[in-house]
Amino acid sequence: MQTQLAKGVQLTTVLSHQFKTNQIIINFRAPIKRADITKRALLANLLETSSADYPDQRALAHALAGMYGAAFGAGVSRKGPTHNLQLSITVPNERYLATAEPLTIQAIDFLIKIIFKPLAQDGHFDEPTFKRQATNLKASIDSVADDKQYYAAQKLNEALFAADVAQQIPSYGVAGDIAAITASDLYDYYQKLLAEDQIDIIMMGDFDEPTVIDRWQAVDFRNRLVARPAAFYRHQNENTYTETSEIQALSQAKLNLGYDFPVFYRDKHYYAALVFNELFGGSPLSKLFMNVREKASLAYYASSSLDTFRGVLKVSAGIDGQNHDQVLKIIAAQLTAIQQGNFTDELVDQLKLGLINDFESSLDSQRTFAIQALIDDLTQQSVSDADWLKQIQAVTRDQIMAVAQLVTLNNGFFLSGGQHESN
């Protein structure tokens, strides 16, 4: 059930007797802006660790323990051109406990305090807390950047999304931005976020729906004056391959490839694209895994992934640097093989079964339902579980071959230890 709490503020309640916990997820959604990404990540850190009512992590932990060990967290993510700041809490369902306490309502009240009563005064966040979380965020970003595969993936993004700097950087921002953010600047931005961001509240579990709706309607949410964020970012196809490279001290080279792939979430090619990706590099039965890694022994790992909110396909491979040219050719040959129909119907059936098993396994996760509700709202479309399964089963080899024709290699980034010399 969907309830509009204000213009641009929506509550979705999903009733289910499947789980013994109730989960609440609040998403603050806004168009991605390069100047705001790191601010939003730092806000997530602050909101997760403090508020006026719970000024430190000890007080916060005590409050959660009082709700029979509720789990609370905050984070950021990206969907196409939209940046999400998310708060979530999972609380035991009081119906399964020997207590009369209204834990679900307590969890709602907890989130309301976190959102509307941050640890701030006189127009700025608490300085010691702000400085501590700024330091923590920088350390977290720096630690991820030490991962060479992550580094190569980010360098590929810079090339693949050269036309839009906001699409180049990760959803949790850039360490170099942090020093310029002040406690007062961030507080001002937070007030803007509260006033302008699209807010989606998802409640999933077994609870009294009218009571929950009444509690949220009592909150003074204001109408949003800005339009809904767009669901998709459309990558620009350059129709040519450009590769950049870098040498560092490492033993295993990284080859990352970016393809234009104009297929978007639940459009007419979407289900064929899911099966195609499994066939190309998305599963242990894929051509990249079987032919590049296993048969030719040219890669330590080789896989592909889809981004159907930005219209791109990516391949990542860990290789010996001296095999660069050979790997590039054999990866291209796997795509050509699919385009020409060089695969069996039996393999396609196995890949479909794998997708279906993964899908059905995901239905055991409460969070899956909540996240799907958020995506449904972002895209303004929904598909039943039965229809999803039907669509996957209906994918034909001709559709797989046709969707493979849409793939165009645009960019590559090669990180090596110096073994390879370009021709």
Side-chain angles (χ1 to χ4, degrees):
M1 178 178 179
Q2 293 187 334
T3 305
Q4 290 297 126
L5 303 177
K7 184 180 179 182
V9 182
Q10 180 170 277
L11 168 66
T12 301
T13 48
V14 183
L15 296 179
S16 171
H17 304 296
Q18 183 177 350
F19 307 102
K20 293 186 177 181
T21 58
N22 291 334
Q23 186 171 69
I24 310 169
I25 295 179
I26 303 180
N27 242 34
F28 295 88
R29 295 205 313 247
I32 287 180
K33 296 180 181 177
R34 170 64 184 83
D36 296 340
I37 295 175
T38 309
K39 292 178 184 177
R40 295 171 71 88
L42 185 50
L43 275 173
N45 275 26
L46 283 167
L47 296 173
E48 185 177 39
T49 55
S50 64
S51 74
D53 291 279
Y54 316 111
D56 54 40
Q57 287 180 283
R58 182 177 178 179
L60 203 66
H62 181 72
L64 295 172
M67 288 184 280
Y68 287 76
F72 168 65
V76 290
S77 62
R78 174 209 308 277
K79 276 284 184 286
T82 303
H83 193 273
N84 309 311
L85 191 164
Q86 185 177 96
L87 305 176
S88 65
I89 188 169
T90 302
V91 64
N93 190 322
E94 56 265 34
R95 297 179 183 183
Y96 298 98
L97 298 172
T99 179
E101 292 200 34
L103 297 180
T104 303
I105 296 300
Q106 288 179 17
I108 294 173
D109 291 340
F110 173 87
L111 287 176
I112 291 169
K113 290 176 183 177
I114 293 290
I115 294 167
F116 292 105
K117 295 175 65 179
L119 186 58
Q121 61 281 318
D122 301 326
H124 62 82
F125 284 104
D126 177 70
E127 286 286 355
T129 303
F130 170 83
K131 289 178 181 177
R132 182 165 57 253
Q133 294 309 320
T135 299
N136 289 345
L137 179 61
K138 184 178 186 305
S140 177
I141 295 174
D142 287 342
S143 68
V144 176
D146 288 337
D147 183 300
K148 298 303 183 183
Q149 176 51 38
Y150 162 85
Y151 178 82
Q154 284 306 118
K155 296 299 285 187
L156 175 65
N157 271 353
E158 290 177 15
L160 196 58
F161 299 107
D164 189 340
V165 67
Q167 293 293 329
Q168 297 174 16
I169 66 175
S171 60
Y172 46 81
V174 176
D177 291 354
I178 295 172
I181 303 173
T182 68
S184 57
D185 288 343
L186 192 63
Y187 184 81
D188 289 343
Y189 177 76
Y190 186 51
Q191 301 311 304
K192 181 174 182 290
L193 177 152
L194 289 177
E196 297 182 0
D197 272 27
Q198 180 92 15
I199 300 176
D200 293 284
I201 304 166
I202 309 293
M203 288 197 61
M204 171 75 194
D206 184 6
F207 47 80
D208 184 70
E209 196 170 40
T211 301
V212 161
I213 293 172
D214 286 346
R215 184 66 194 92
W216 282 114
Q217 287 178 328
V219 180
D220 186 24
F221 287 112
R222 305 298 176 88
N223 290 333
R224 315 285 103 172
L225 301 180
V226 295
R228 290 175 56 88
F232 304 109
Y233 174 87
R234 296 183 179 272
H235 172 261
Q236 170 141 9
N237 189 359
E238 299 297 332
N239 287 302
T240 186
Y241 179 60
T242 303
E243 183 180 293
T244 56
S245 62
E246 193 173 311
I247 295 175
Q248 292 187 14
L250 74 168
S251 58
Q252 184 188 111
K254 316 294 181 185
L255 178 62
N256 286 46
L257 304 176
Y259 303 75
D260 183 78
F261 191 40
V263 175
F264 296 89
Y265 188 74
R266 289 180 179 160
D267 75 4
K268 64 181 180 179
H269 299 297
Y270 176 68
Y271 297 96
L274 293 181
V275 181
F276 157 77
N277 183 59
E278 293 292 289
L279 177 59
F280 183 45
S283 78
L285 297 175
S286 69
K287 287 186 172 291
L288 291 185
F289 188 91
M290 298 301 296
N291 295 323
V292 181
R293 182 184 183 277
E294 296 292 299
K295 187 181 293 184
S297 298
L298 288 173
Y300 302 103
Y301 62 86
S303 64
S304 66
S305 60
L306 293 178
D307 185 341
T308 56
F309 283 84
R310 295 196 282 184
V312 297
L313 169 75
K314 296 179 182 179
V315 167
S316 60
I319 66 174
D320 287 330
Q322 61 189 4
N323 294 330
H324 167 276
D325 294 350
Q326 192 177 357
V327 171
L328 202 57
K329 288 177 182 177
I330 198 170
I331 289 174
Q334 306 317 302
L335 177 59
T336 299
I338 298 173
Q339 291 170 338
Q340 295 176 349
N342 183 14
F343 53 89
T344 67
D345 292 336
E346 290 76 16
L347 176 57
V348 171
D349 288 341
Q350 285 182 280
L351 295 170
K352 288 180 180 179
L353 183 60
L355 282 169
I356 289 169
N357 287 340
D358 289 345
F359 178 80
E360 291 178 337
S361 295
S362 74
L363 299 181
D364 292 331
S365 167
Q366 191 173 27
R367 187 170 180 81
T368 296
F369 286 87
I371 291 173
Q372 190 59 58
L374 288 168
I375 293 175
D376 288 350
D377 182 67
L378 175 64
T379 60
Q380 293 291 283
Q381 52 182 303
S382 63
V383 173
S384 69
D385 296 345
D387 193 44
W388 190 95
L389 295 169
K390 180 180 177 182
Q391 294 278 10
I392 289 293
Q393 291 283 26
V395 171
T396 66
R397 65 182 296 110
D398 286 344
Q399 289 173 329
I400 296 169
M401 292 166 61
V403 82
Q405 296 288 345
L406 301 176
V407 178
T408 307
L409 180 59
N410 275 195
N411 298 95
F413 179 75
F414 181 52
L415 180 64
S416 78
Q419 308 98 317
H420 168 74
E421 292 183 3
S422 299
N423 293 327

